[in-house]
């Protein structure tokens, strides 16, 4: 991966493999009232995390005002005790909507048969945006435990 800096402890894991899974990411942005956290779906492509923003979302405007942000992703399986955590810090930008990339993102979470998708995921439009998050540092930790 082409990160500026990766911090891995003794207990590491395959980050690329984790980022392929349909996990929630938590996007943390700055606002005048204090930090804001938004649970989001993401896709990892071109060494960036890509997140869809809709006209109802407020995080795109916060990113335009303050591009520095953080993203946390956890892969947790309580039955096995697996806990993988990846923490990213970097800068984000608001980009034009890309229908092809959106389809890839939704396929990751909803499956390849778009006929079965909820209508709101089938009817994307150019009023939406993409958030392009470029990591500057990544902290990778396997915090698993024995069950």
């Amino acid at each position: 991966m082409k990160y500026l800096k990766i911090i891995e402890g003794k207990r590491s894991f395959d980050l690329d493999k984790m980022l392929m899974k349909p996990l929630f990411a938590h996007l943390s942005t700055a606002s005048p009232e204090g930090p804001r956290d938004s649970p989001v779906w993401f896709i990892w492509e071109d060494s960036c995390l890509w997140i869809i923003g809709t006209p109802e979302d407020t995080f795109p405007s916060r990113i335009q005002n303050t591009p520095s942000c953080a993203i946390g992703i956890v892969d947790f399986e309580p039955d096995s005790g697996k806990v993988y955590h990846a923490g990213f810090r970097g800068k984000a930008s608001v980009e034009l909507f890309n229908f092809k990339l959106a389809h890839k993102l939704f396929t990751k979470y909803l499956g390849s048969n778009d006929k079965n998708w909820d209508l709101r995921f089938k009817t994307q439009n150019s009023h939406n945006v993409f958030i392009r998050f470029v990591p500057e540092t990544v902290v990778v930790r396997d915090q698993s435990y024995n069950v």
Side-chain angles (χ1 to χ4, degrees), residues 33-44:
E33 297 82 28
R36 301 288 180 157
D37 181 76
S38 302
V40 294
W41 289 353
F42 68 92
I43 191 161
W44 175 251

Side-chain angles (χ1 to χ4, degrees), residues 53-135:
T54 68
E56 294 81 29
D57 293 322
T58 56
F59 59 83
S61 62
R62 290 194 302 273
I63 287 170
Q64 286 178 322
N65 292 332
T66 309
S68 293
C69 51
I71 294 179
I73 304 170
V74 176
D75 186 0
F76 174 50
E77 295 176 2
D79 292 339
S80 69
K82 179 175 102 174
V83 182
Y84 291 171
H85 170 260
F88 300 81
R89 281 184 281 167
K91 294 203 176 2
S93 58
V94 179
E95 309 287 334
L96 293 175
F97 193 70
N98 179 319
F99 288 92
K100 189 181 234 182
L101 188 59
H103 192 271
K104 286 174 72 173
L105 186 149
F106 291 138
T107 297
K108 174 183 174 180
Y109 288 88
L110 303 171
S112 59
N113 187 352
D114 58 4
K115 292 181 175 100
N116 295 331
W117 295 359
D118 184 282
L119 184 60
R120 65 189 153 155
F121 301 112
K122 293 180 189 181
T123 57
Q124 297 299 302
N125 63 56
S126 59
H127 295 289
N128 293 344
V129 295
F130 258 103
I131 303 303
R132 179 177 178 257
F133 176 83
V134 180

